[in-house]
Amino acid sequence: MFWQKTNDIASSVKEERLAMIKTIIEPFKIKMVEPLPILTSEQRKGFIRECDYNLFFLRSEWVTFDFLTDSGTSSMSAQQWAALMVGDESYAGSKSFYRLEKVVQDLTGFPHIIPVHQGRAAEYLLAKALLKPQQIVIANTHFDTTRANIEMAQATAIDLPIAAAKNSREWHPFKGNMDVEKLNHILSNRGKQVAFVIMTVTNNSVGGQPVSMENLKAVAQICRQHGKLLFIDCARFAENVWFIKTREPGYENRSTRSIAQEMFSLADGTWMSAKKDAFGNIGGFLAVKDAGLAQEIRQLMVVTEGFPTYGGLAGRDLESLAVGLEEVLEEDYLRYRIRSTAYLGEGLKQAGFTVVEPFGGHAIYIDALASIPHLPWYQFPGQSLSVAFYETVGVRSVEVGSIMLGKKDPQSGQQQPALKELLRLAIPRRVYTQSHIDYVIEGAHLVAQQIPALPGYRFIYEPPVLRHFTARFAPII
Ligand SMILES: *Cc1c(COP(=O)(O)O)cnc(C)c1O
């Protein structure tokens, strides 16, 4: 049972040595195991009915393959566990802070490093320090929490993805890019209103799609011309680095670290949800060039996060994040990570599903509207598919469609659709093996056979905000 090799992977000396073997293996062996809950489909059907068909209500012990998110769900390495033991729990000036500080400084080139408990805390602090009401922030696409923090400061978040990002089937090597013409246009016409610009790498909200160095450079240059700060929301920076290395001319022989360093050198600061590419179960940081901004944030953070050398984290967390940030740039890991995600995408496609392409770094998205032709958007095809995947194979996925992103018009009471009806399968890092994925793909063939009989869903309880978390549903029979 092996991941098959593809041709789009840059060759290296090591690969020439291994040229006879075409398989990409998990580049780790397993030292500690955790049982995988195995249930019958009858049991699962009972549990999901009990949960009123909302997968967020499922207990994790009822889920065999948890593809709800890649956030905070990574396996830590032996080195990370070892680092936990040497964590320094001093309130101020912890040794573990200085270790993390050095690693982040070397990686990003930014001198001022501020730990925080999650990525969204960094966003909150940055918005608090930099934003005034009525200002504008521009991004390739804002992640939900980024947008929420900007809107809470009474500012406006504008997304400028490239046109290709809107088409699920158009192949573009860097679908996460920003539309630089539109950026230039807004900065030329309403530049005064713009507070700062964000590049999210990879671009989570358009499907974990990468940003090219060329695009990042163009955006940085426009920001410089207009005197605007550029920040990188770098939750999945290493996955982005691998896409640059394997898809962008001129980068094939560069080290992953030097590509990352070049990305960060183009910006004025960055923040990270370390629950993603730092293999953390919790954590984050903010790193900035400007001493004055860092000082202001350090003052603000004491109220919500804690003293600036721990930022809401235990010393042991700081220590293990420092290790994770180094491990994530290992080529063997990244080659496996990106390839294994694509492997699931190919398998789902072969099973007959319409899948968003090219495949992103951390998740595969099924186009549910295209995959279940008999269900209209207002019967929530993504939800229907997520229930079928759970009942049939024990997979927990998440609808990213009109339940999560649509809304009810407060005046007319009419439901408003989202742009797309997607089902997301996000893949935790270093957690599942190929035999797990093969099982899921086999199960996907069974789900595909049930498509003509899959029911739509309706709300039986519809919360006014963030409704996907607490809504209750019934099948339409
Ligand atoms: C997860 C994420 C965040 C928010 O980070 P948390 O650690 O969940 O608070 C911000 N931006 C991006 C791109 C993310 O993926």
Side-chain angles (χ1 to χ4, degrees):
M1 296 289 162
F2 300 106
W3 313 107
Q4 289 161 312
K5 182 168 173 160
T6 51
N7 299 326
D8 66 349
I9 290 160
S11 66
S12 64
V13 176
K14 189 153 142 204
E15 270 187 72
E16 272 165 34
R17 220 179 335 114
L18 297 174
M20 300 305 292
I21 297 180
K22 302 237 180 283
T23 298
I24 295 172
I25 53 172
E26 289 90 358
F28 47 80
K29 55 184 178 172
I30 298 163
K31 173 180 266 180
M32 198 179 345
V33 298
E34 195 180 336
L36 205 57
I38 298 189
L39 295 88
T40 65
S41 77
E42 289 317 304
Q43 286 173 308
R44 287 191 292 257
K45 282 178 183 162
F47 290 136
I48 193 71
R49 197 178 328 113
E50 230 175 85
C51 292
D52 290 321
Y53 300 95
N54 186 336
L55 285 86
F56 282 97
F57 291 140
L58 287 173
R59 294 188 189 199
S60 63
E61 66 203 88
W62 300 336
V63 175
T64 308
F65 303 105
D66 208 341
F67 295 156
L68 187 62
T69 176
D70 66 322
S71 176
T73 52
S74 301
S75 291
M76 291 207 298
S77 66
Q79 289 300 325
Q80 284 184 288
W81 282 103
L84 289 181
M85 290 305 295
V86 296
D88 174 2
E89 304 304 339
S90 303
Y91 189 94
S94 159
K95 224 164 39 184
S96 303
F97 166 73
Y98 291 107
R99 180 169 182 196
L100 178 67
E101 182 186 52
K102 179 158 187 337
V103 167
V104 179
Q105 282 171 341
D106 287 351
L107 176 67
T108 64
F110 299 122
H112 307 288
I113 313 303
I114 299 165
V116 290
H117 82 278
Q118 288 194 217
R120 67 195 69 186
E123 293 163 352
Y124 172 79
L125 292 166
L126 208 57
K128 197 101 181 143
L130 290 180
L131 280 182
K132 294 192 208 62
Q134 320 313 327
Q135 283 190 315
I136 293 172
V137 180
I138 301 171
N140 51 347
T141 313
H142 294 82
F143 181 65
D144 329 1
T145 59
T146 323
R147 171 179 294 276
N149 276 300
I150 290 165
E151 289 175 354
M152 248 186 20
Q154 292 165 42
T156 304
I158 296 181
D159 292 335
L160 299 181
I162 56 169
K166 292 182 190 108
N167 184 344
S168 321
R169 273 171 257 187
E170 183 175 338
W171 205 94
H172 187 294
F174 293 102
K175 244 179 176 175
N177 282 353
M178 181 183 277
D179 187 325
V180 287
E181 262 168 48
K182 285 192 183 149
L183 174 68
N184 213 352
H185 184 79
I186 295 181
L187 286 175
S188 304
N189 290 288
R190 291 193 280 163
K192 273 211 182 83
Q193 255 183 294
V194 176
F196 55 90
V197 176
I198 301 169
M199 287 296 267
T200 310
V201 304
T202 55
N203 193 339
N204 188 353
S205 306
V206 307
Q209 296 291 332
V211 172
S212 68
M213 192 73 82
E214 185 186 27
N215 188 250
L216 208 52
K217 279 184 187 163
V219 168
Q221 196 190 353
I222 295 170
C223 287
R224 222 174 308 120
Q225 277 165 6
H226 293 270
K228 299 298 171 191
L229 293 175
L230 172 63
F231 290 94
I232 298 180
D233 178 355
C234 76
R236 298 177 183 80
F237 76 96
E239 292 173 4
N240 201 85
V241 161
W242 190 256
F243 284 114
I244 289 177
K245 187 173 164 69
T246 54
R247 290 184 184 168
E248 191 161 352
Y251 288 91
E252 53 275 42
N253 296 318
R254 290 269 300 274
S255 74
T256 53
R257 173 171 299 274
S258 81
I259 297 173
Q261 287 165 335
E262 184 177 344
M263 281 166 51
F264 290 118
S265 75
L266 297 166
D268 299 287
T270 188
W271 72 87
M272 180 177 196
S273 166
K275 302 174 73 174
K276 323 291 176 30
D277 266 357
F279 301 115
N281 299 125
I282 195 72
F285 63 80
L286 186 61
V288 296
K289 210 183 259 182
D290 185 71
L293 176 60
Q295 191 50 31
E296 190 177 346
I297 286 172
R298 287 191 180 112
Q299 269 161 25
L300 284 170
M301 74 184 289
V302 179
V303 184
T304 51
E305 293 293 290
F307 192 72
T309 61
Y310 74 86
L313 296 169
R316 62 180 82 99
D317 295 327
L318 302 172
E319 198 81 37
S320 75
L321 294 180
V323 176
L325 282 171
E326 304 264 327
E327 286 178 354
V328 77
L329 285 169
E330 286 168 10
E331 292 200 5
D332 289 338
Y333 163 72
L334 285 172
R335 179 183 295 113
Y336 140 81
R337 169 68 174 165
I338 300 304
R339 176 65 201 131
S340 60
T341 301
Y343 182 83
L344 174 62
E346 286 162 8
L348 292 173
K349 220 173 129 178
Q350 269 161 22
F353 292 97
T354 304
V355 181
V356 177
E357 290 186 82
F359 308 126
H362 70 286
I364 295 297
Y365 292 73
I366 297 178
D367 184 334
L369 200 61
S371 297
I372 315 185
H374 67 278
L375 291 185
W377 68 266
Y378 51 83
Q379 292 188 5
F380 308 128
Q383 187 66 15
S384 178
L385 206 50
S386 76
V387 172
F389 263 96
Y390 174 67
E391 290 181 341
T392 312
V393 219
V395 163
R396 171 152 63 181
S397 52
V398 63
E399 189 255 17
V400 182
S402 291
I403 294 173
M404 185 190 276
L405 304 174
K407 47 180 177 265
K408 191 175 195 164
D409 187 288
Q411 253 103 59
S412 67
Q414 292 282 311
Q415 294 286 350
Q416 308 283 316
L419 285 176
K420 290 179 201 160
E421 304 300 323
L422 301 178
L423 181 72
R424 184 182 82 176
L425 294 94
I427 309 174
R429 294 173 181 74
R430 304 192 295 208
V431 172
Y432 297 110
T433 64
Q434 189 183 0
S435 72
H436 293 142
I437 303 296
D438 282 334
Y439 181 100
V440 170
I441 292 169
E442 230 184 295
H445 284 263
L446 297 179
V447 174
Q449 287 166 17
Q450 299 164 30
I451 281 178
L454 291 183
Y457 284 80
R458 62 183 170 83
F459 283 108
I460 54 176
Y461 165 64
E462 183 184 352
V465 288
L466 293 175
R467 52 192 193 172
H468 55 293
F469 289 126
T470 54
R472 294 181 182 277
F473 303 96
I476 301 167
I477 309 170

